[in-house]
Amino acid sequence: MRILVTGGAGFIGSHLIDRLMELDHEVICLDNFFTGRKDNLLRWFNSPKFELIRHDVTEPIRLEVDQIYHLACPASPVHYQHNPVKTIKTNVMGTMNMLGLAKRVKARFLLSSTSEVYGDPEVHPQSEDYRGNVNPIGPRSCYDEGKRVAETLAFDYHRQNHVDIRVARIFNTYGPRMLEEDGRVVSNFVVQALKGDPVTVYGDGSQTRSFCYVSDLVEGLIRLMNGDYIGPVNLGNPEEYTVLELAQKIQSMIRSGEEVQFKPLPQDDPRRRQPDITCAKQKLGWQPTISLTDGLQRTIEDFRNRIESQTKLPSSVPLVEV
């Protein structure tokens, strides 16, 4: 098939493109390179089946494709709060443009939504029928509410214009190619520990998250796109860890002896976050397969290689074999 991936030069998008190319599809990557990197796609530049277009999804584009994976939008608070108006424009106008394209060429459309639609949840774990607890005027709302509107648009295009949609609600995902400065807990902790700096935990560290390795997520996205279930469907790892537990685990794997540094919790930061993946198991036959230890080892190796190319690491932080 001929497949469009918006945000394809980013962390998740580039891993998705790797899989689609390995499956012998023709792939078009659309990215404005706000958080995406060409380096993530270098292996495909000489392939006749790969095309890279620098484009912002807030502007319309005309292409002929069979499927659209719509991943374009900064996903970490550091990046989506940098220009909140641009973030909500990307979520609303960008999604409208891609749905309009899907309508014109009769392509199947997959929206990468987020667990942030649940806000700071009052139900635990979160299943797809939970409607969320989101602050519509807070500093995170440009992303949270933007994705909620994107879901609204997808289902309205489906009901009104019969666009063939799929909606994935993605929970915390980690792995190689995460940006070093994206502000998310895994990348923060790994970079700080590798550099021998104190690991920064916001709040008392008792807030929980669930961490899904990127290859598991990509498998879920592909199954959703090519199955019969529209969604929304949670894609994430249901194993729950406190942020402090994660920090200590990463420190032990890197043998970092630095202390944990506590700072005030940001506004509207969710206290608990864990997906109920019953729907994904039943409708997609999907569940994560990569353990947190295995996934973190791969992630640490990737960050280590990148940081070593930039600066000399202290000799006291070798990777622990576990």
Side-chain angles (χ1 to χ4, degrees):
M1 286 185 287
R2 188 168 167 83
I3 300 174
L4 171 65
V5 181
T6 73
F11 161 50
I12 294 174
S14 62
H15 283 280
L16 174 61
I17 285 177
D18 286 350
R19 283 289 305 278
L20 296 174
M21 291 294 294
E22 288 161 3
L23 292 168
D24 207 32
H25 295 294
E26 292 183 36
V27 178
I28 301 172
C29 170
L30 216 64
D31 208 296
N32 68 353
F33 298 104
F34 175 55
T35 58
R37 292 176 170 176
K38 288 183 181 178
D39 288 353
N40 292 338
L41 302 167
L42 284 177
R43 62 184 292 202
W44 305 117
F45 276 16
N46 293 324
S47 170
K49 292 195 171 185
F50 177 73
E51 186 176 354
L52 174 63
I53 302 174
R54 181 187 288 269
H55 183 82
D56 193 310
V57 293
T58 60
E59 301 295 332
I61 190 169
R62 292 188 176 274
L63 298 165
E64 294 291 331
V65 293
D66 302 302
Q67 293 182 344
I68 301 169
Y69 287 87
H70 181 42
L71 276 61
C73 186
S76 73
V78 168
H79 293 131
Y80 68 63
Q81 291 174 3
H82 174 71
N83 187 341
V85 173
K86 177 67 173 179
T87 296
I88 202 158
K89 283 176 68 177
T90 300
N91 277 319
V92 178
M93 295 171 62
T95 301
M96 285 187 70
N97 286 332
M98 291 303 111
L99 283 164
L101 174 62
K103 175 187 172 184
R104 287 193 300 274
V105 301
K106 294 181 170 51
R108 181 171 289 181
F109 173 90
L110 184 147
L111 172 68
S112 66
S113 186
T114 173
S115 61
E116 297 293 340
V117 300
Y118 300 123
D120 186 3
E122 297 172 334
V123 170
H124 191 78
Q126 296 82 54
S127 61
E128 290 84 356
D129 58 359
Y130 176 54
R131 296 182 181 180
N133 175 38
V134 176
N135 177 0
I137 59 172
R140 300 171 69 102
S141 60
C142 59
Y143 185 71
D144 302 1
E145 294 285 31
K147 286 293 189 181
R148 286 162 71 96
V149 173
E151 288 194 17
T152 300
L153 285 166
F155 277 91
D156 282 341
Y157 265 80
H158 173 67
R159 286 185 287 256
Q160 183 174 324
N161 300 307
H162 310 292
V163 174
D164 190 10
I165 66 163
R166 303 289 185 270
V167 175
R169 289 177 178 165
I170 298 172
F171 282 68
N172 289 57
T173 305
Y174 71 101
R177 302 181 198 162
M178 295 182 79
L179 293 173
E180 297 97 314
E181 70 283 359
D182 73 357
R184 287 184 272 195
V185 285
V186 171
S187 51
N188 272 5
F189 294 166
V190 170
V191 170
Q192 289 170 339
L194 283 171
K195 289 183 175 180
D197 296 332
V199 171
T200 303
V201 170
Y202 293 93
D204 61 6
S206 63
Q207 65 271 34
T208 66
R209 296 291 184 272
S210 305
F211 302 99
C212 184
Y213 190 69
V214 65
S215 63
D216 281 333
L217 176 72
V218 165
E219 176 66 23
L221 291 173
I222 291 174
R223 288 193 186 200
L224 177 60
M225 174 65 93
N226 294 294
D228 297 325
Y229 186 65
I230 290 174
V233 59
N234 291 336
L235 294 179
N237 193 318
E239 293 183 0
E240 186 180 16
Y241 297 87
T242 69
V243 170
L244 185 57
E245 284 174 340
L246 177 73
Q248 292 168 339
K249 183 175 183 64
I250 289 172
Q251 282 184 314
S252 69
M253 292 177 71
I254 300 175
R255 289 184 183 160
S256 170
E258 293 295 326
E259 75 276 11
V260 173
Q261 190 175 73
F262 294 91
K263 292 189 175 182
L265 195 66
Q267 183 182 342
D268 297 331
D269 193 65
R271 293 160 297 171
R272 304 187 75 184
R273 186 64 63 73
Q274 181 190 18
D276 180 335
I277 61 167
T278 303
C279 180
K281 289 179 179 178
Q282 293 176 346
K283 302 295 186 181
L284 309 179
W286 176 89
Q287 61 182 355
T289 61
I290 306 295
S291 70
L292 182 63
T293 298
D294 189 11
L296 283 176
Q297 277 190 306
R298 302 180 196 184
T299 306
I300 290 167
E301 287 283 5
D302 176 68
F303 274 105
R304 187 181 184 86
N305 292 335
R306 280 187 277 163
I307 293 171
E308 281 184 337
S309 68
Q310 300 165 11
T311 182
K312 180 70 175 175
L313 279 176
S315 58
S316 61
V317 287
L319 178 66
V320 178
E321 293 296 331
V322 292

